[in-house]
């Protein structure tokens, strides 16, 4: 090799060096394992998050620009990357809450485990959880519960025979607990496997592009509610999807359309910082419709429709939801402009509330009813892509979906993410009610920003 190198032309040596550098870069990138992180701020303070460049130690801002108390942020990173969480000074006082008014910091490093969630606790202390730590905590709790049962039995009895009985009971307790955990885990795996299979086998059939696609067959369609046929598409603790035939009347639709006509404006989406903005992901017109509850006894059509919405929600969920403090009904209208329209009216995949699988935040949305007054000639279907559900609504029908587990108060983890397919020909006119839990006359829906945080709390951070 020492004899050959001098005979190589300089251009060839340069090419070899470039190839070596490229190979080295490829190996380095291949070694980086990507992980998604959820950051939950429960510290009572505003914070920001910075990535620490391992080579230069430069701090690179990752939050947008800060994370309010009670808010969350998703972060895509790599195993081994380290981040710094910094407390920010309060807006009113201009100081932090640390000792001598210093701004407190903490750090976390992305590990190789799945389902990583970083909780920023009081005092700006980071709690980093993942699939492994959650499993360990679950196992420890199970064992502690069984040990407590055994100790209570031991305090009541004496003798070797009784001790053997207690040991047997402890073993049974652990076995039953593990069996239940395995059963729940297997049910989750089986459900997700079923969805993946449906999506893989019928991928083309579940796209908005094919107008001839069939609607998804319901899991059951043999139930009724007040004489209306109900089809259950998904029935999971934190993710329910129903369709209800003839949910509203032509007269109710006309009343909503009349009320909306002078108020229609371009629809907006949450901007990620607590406000709203126009977006290409949502092209439609919308108008909020106030419900005059005082006219309900007189047969007001809009009040009658709204009462039916809450009655159905309470039929499915055990929260006894009242109309007080709830959002207005929303009239949303999409207009088709032909197959050559490059930017048709539509709504890209989104969640109406949190779909993180984490704890519910009081005052936020937890269910939705979409009612269809007018369906277009071409387009306008509703897709729940993560659940493999494709709804081709009938006029005057409704789609109900909830995204909270009433027992654990955990939110849906994405199965109710949905979209409105492009409207190609004709008009699509719907009425939507977003239903919240934890609102009332003193804490109405509009006292919360689009991050689900009360404006008064955000102003004080």
């Amino acid at each position: 090799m020492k004899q050959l190198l001098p005979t190589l032309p300089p251009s060839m040596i340069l090419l070899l060096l470039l190839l070596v550098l490229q190979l080295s870069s490829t190996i380095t990138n291949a070694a980086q394992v990507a992980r998604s992180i959820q950051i939950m701020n429960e510290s009572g303070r505003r914070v920001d998050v910075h990535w620490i460049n391992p080579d230069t130690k430069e701090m690179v801002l990752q939050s947008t620009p800060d994370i309010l108390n009670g808010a969350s942020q998703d972060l895509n990173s790599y195993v081994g990357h380290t981040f710094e969480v910094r407390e920010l000074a309060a807006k009113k006082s201009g100081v932090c809450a640390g000792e001598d008014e210093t701004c407190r910091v903490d750090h976390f490093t992305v590990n190789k485990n799945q389902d990583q969630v970083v909780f920023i606790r009081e005092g700006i202390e980071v709690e980093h959880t993942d699939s492994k730590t959650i499993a360990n905590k679950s196992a420890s709790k199970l064992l502690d519960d069984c040990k407590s049962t055994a100790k209570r039995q031991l305090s009541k009895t004496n003798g070797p025979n009784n001790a053997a009985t207690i040991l047997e009971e402890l073993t049974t307790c652990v076995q039953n607990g593990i069996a239940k955990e395995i059963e729940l885990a297997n049910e989750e795996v089986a459900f997700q496997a079923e969805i993946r299979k449906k999506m893989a086998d019928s991928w083309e059939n579940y796209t908005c592009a094919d107008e001839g696609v069939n609607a998804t067959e319901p899991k059951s369609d043999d139930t009724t509610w007040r004489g209306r046929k109900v089809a259950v598409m998904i029935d999971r603790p934190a993710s329910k999807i129903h369709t209800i035939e003839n949910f509203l009347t032509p007269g109710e639709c006309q009343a909503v359309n009349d009320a909306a006509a002078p108020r229609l404006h371009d629809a907006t989406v949450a901007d990620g910082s607590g406000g709203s903005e126009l977006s290409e992901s949502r092209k439609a017109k919308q108008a909020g419709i106030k419900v005059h509850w005082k006219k309900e006894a007189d047969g007001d059509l809009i009040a009658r429709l709204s009462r039916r919405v809450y009655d159905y929600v309470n039929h499915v969920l055990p929260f006894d939801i009242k109309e007080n403090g709830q959002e207005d009904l929303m009239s949303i209208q999409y207009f088709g402009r032909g197959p050559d329209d490059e930017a048709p009216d539509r709504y890209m995949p989104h969640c109406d509330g949190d779909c993180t699988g984490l704890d519910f935040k009081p005052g936020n949305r937890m269910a939705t009813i979409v009612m269809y007054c007018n369906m277009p000639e071409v387009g306008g279907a509703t897709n729940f892509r993560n659940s493999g559900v494709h709804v081709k609504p009938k006029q005057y029908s409704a789609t109900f979906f909830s995204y909270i587990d009433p027992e654990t108060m955990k939110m849906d983890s994405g199965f109710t993410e949905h979209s409105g397919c492009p409207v190609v020909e004709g008009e699509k006119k719907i009425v939507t009610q977003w239903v919240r839990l934890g609102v009332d006359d003193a804490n109405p829906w509009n006292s919360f920003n689009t991050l689900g945080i009360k404006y008064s709390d955000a102003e004080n951070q």
Side-chain angles (χ1 to χ4, degrees):
M1 182 62 72
K2 290 182 179 179
Q3 294 176 347
L4 292 174
L5 279 175
T7 64
L8 293 174
S11 59
M12 184 62 70
I13 294 174
L14 179 60
L15 178 60
L16 287 172
L17 287 172
L18 289 173
L19 287 173
V20 170
L21 289 172
Q22 183 176 7
L23 179 60
S24 174
S25 175
T26 300
I27 293 172
T28 300
N29 290 334
Q32 290 186 317
V33 180
R35 286 290 181 265
S36 295
I37 315 295
Q38 287 182 329
I39 301 174
M40 302 290 299
N41 183 10
E42 299 178 353
S43 66
R45 310 286 297 182
R46 286 188 309 136
V47 300
D48 59 16
V49 177
H50 292 77
W51 169 58
I52 304 175
N53 187 309
D55 298 320
T56 65
K57 305 305 178 185
E58 177 188 4
M59 298 286 187
V60 183
L61 182 65
Q62 302 295 304
S63 45
T64 54
D66 53 28
I67 307 175
L68 293 172
N69 177 56
S72 62
Q73 178 171 318
D74 295 331
L75 184 66
N76 295 318
S77 187
Y78 296 93
V79 172
H81 280 200
T82 298
F83 296 85
E84 181 174 284
V85 179
R86 298 179 181 176
E87 178 186 10
L88 296 176
K91 293 180 179 178
K92 288 188 176 180
S93 66
V95 298
C96 291
E99 188 176 353
D100 297 327
E101 299 182 345
T102 58
C103 294
R104 296 161 292 184
V105 301
D106 204 351
H107 302 82
F108 66 89
T109 300
V110 180
N111 62 43
K112 64 181 180 180
N113 298 326
Q114 301 288 345
D115 303 326
Q116 296 185 49
V117 181
V118 173
F119 292 94
I120 307 169
R121 305 295 193 189
E122 187 176 353
I124 317 299
E125 294 185 356
V126 167
E127 179 187 351
H128 190 173
T129 68
D130 53 53
S131 55
K132 192 171 183 178
T133 59
I134 291 171
N136 287 338
K137 284 184 178 180
S138 179
S140 296
K141 184 180 185 302
L142 170 63
L143 188 57
D144 288 343
D145 290 343
C146 291
K147 285 167 66 178
S148 296
T149 301
K151 286 180 179 179
R152 286 195 299 270
Q153 292 294 329
L154 189 61
S155 66
K156 297 177 183 178
T157 58
N158 293 304
N161 292 334
N162 289 331
T165 301
I166 292 170
L167 180 60
E168 184 177 346
E169 289 179 357
L170 175 62
T171 303
T172 302
C173 176
V174 173
Q175 286 177 337
N176 290 341
I178 292 175
K180 184 177 180 180
E181 293 296 326
I182 291 175
E183 180 183 1
L184 291 172
N186 285 341
E187 192 274 337
E188 181 70 21
V189 170
F191 176 75
Q192 295 193 30
E194 179 186 359
I195 290 174
R196 289 195 298 271
K197 184 175 182 299
K198 285 183 178 180
M199 294 180 72
D201 293 343
S202 307
W203 180 258
E204 292 299 327
N205 291 335
Y206 289 107
T207 64
C208 293
D210 186 0
E211 182 61 22
V213 63
N214 295 321
T216 304
E217 290 293 324
K219 299 224 177 253
S220 68
D221 60 356
D222 55 355
T223 60
T224 60
W225 179 75
R226 296 183 179 176
R228 298 169 172 86
K229 185 176 180 181
V230 177
V232 177
M233 314 303 290
I234 295 292
D235 188 19
R236 296 179 54 75
S239 320
K240 300 182 187 299
I241 304 173
H242 301 174
T243 61
I244 312 106
E245 292 186 3
N246 299 312
F247 189 85
L248 71 174
T249 67
E252 290 165 348
C253 283
Q254 188 60 53
V256 170
N257 289 338
D258 290 346
R263 301 184 180 92
L264 285 172
H265 60 274
D266 289 337
T268 58
V269 300
D271 63 5
S273 60
S276 301
E277 64 181 2
L278 297 174
S279 171
E280 288 299 314
S281 68
R282 186 185 188 194
K283 292 197 66 179
K285 298 290 185 181
Q286 70 179 26
I289 308 298
K290 288 193 175 297
V291 180
H292 298 288
W293 291 107
K294 293 181 179 179
K295 297 181 179 180
E296 182 180 12
D298 299 329
D300 182 81
L301 293 178
I302 294 177
R304 185 178 73 181
L305 173 61
S306 191
R307 178 63 63 198
R308 191 178 308 128
V309 166
Y310 295 117
D311 286 350
Y312 190 81
V313 172
N314 289 327
H315 165 68
V316 179
L317 299 173
F319 295 127
D320 191 25
I321 296 296
K322 307 294 185 184
E323 69 271 17
N324 307 78
Q326 295 287 343
E327 296 187 50
D328 297 337
L329 283 169
M330 186 65 72
S331 172
I332 308 173
Q333 304 183 14
Y334 303 81
F335 302 92
R337 293 177 289 274
D340 297 327
D341 185 6
E342 295 182 358
D345 285 7
R346 67 180 305 172
Y347 200 171
M348 299 293 284
H350 64 284
C351 297
D352 284 352
D354 285 344
C355 52
T356 59
L358 299 176
D359 291 337
F360 170 74
K361 292 183 285 191
N364 282 255
R365 295 174 179 173
M366 55 86 191
T368 301
I369 290 190
V370 180
M371 299 158 277
Y372 306 89
C373 283
N374 194 74
M375 290 303 297
E377 288 78 25
V378 180
T382 301
N383 269 333
F384 295 85
R385 63 179 187 177
N386 292 335
S387 294
V389 173
H390 181 75
V391 179
K392 298 186 77 171
K394 298 177 182 178
Q395 190 175 28
Y396 308 130
S397 69
T399 298
F400 162 88
F401 49 101
S402 58
Y403 26 98
I404 186 174
D405 183 338
E407 291 191 8
T408 66
M409 298 303 288
K410 299 285 187 183
M411 299 299 286
D412 168 45
S413 54
F415 293 111
T416 58
E417 181 190 70
H418 57 287
S419 62
C421 291
V423 173
V424 181
E425 299 282 359
E427 297 180 356
K428 175 183 176 181
K429 295 183 178 181
I430 63 176
V431 187
T432 298
Q433 179 68 65
W434 295 292
V435 183
R436 294 178 179 246
L437 178 61
V439 295
D440 52 31
D441 290 334
N443 301 280
W445 70 273
N446 54 5
S447 64
F448 297 83
N449 65 22
T450 56
L451 292 174
I453 301 171
K454 292 201 73 173
Y455 283 109
S456 57
D457 293 338
E459 290 172 358
N460 293 327
Q461 293 182 36

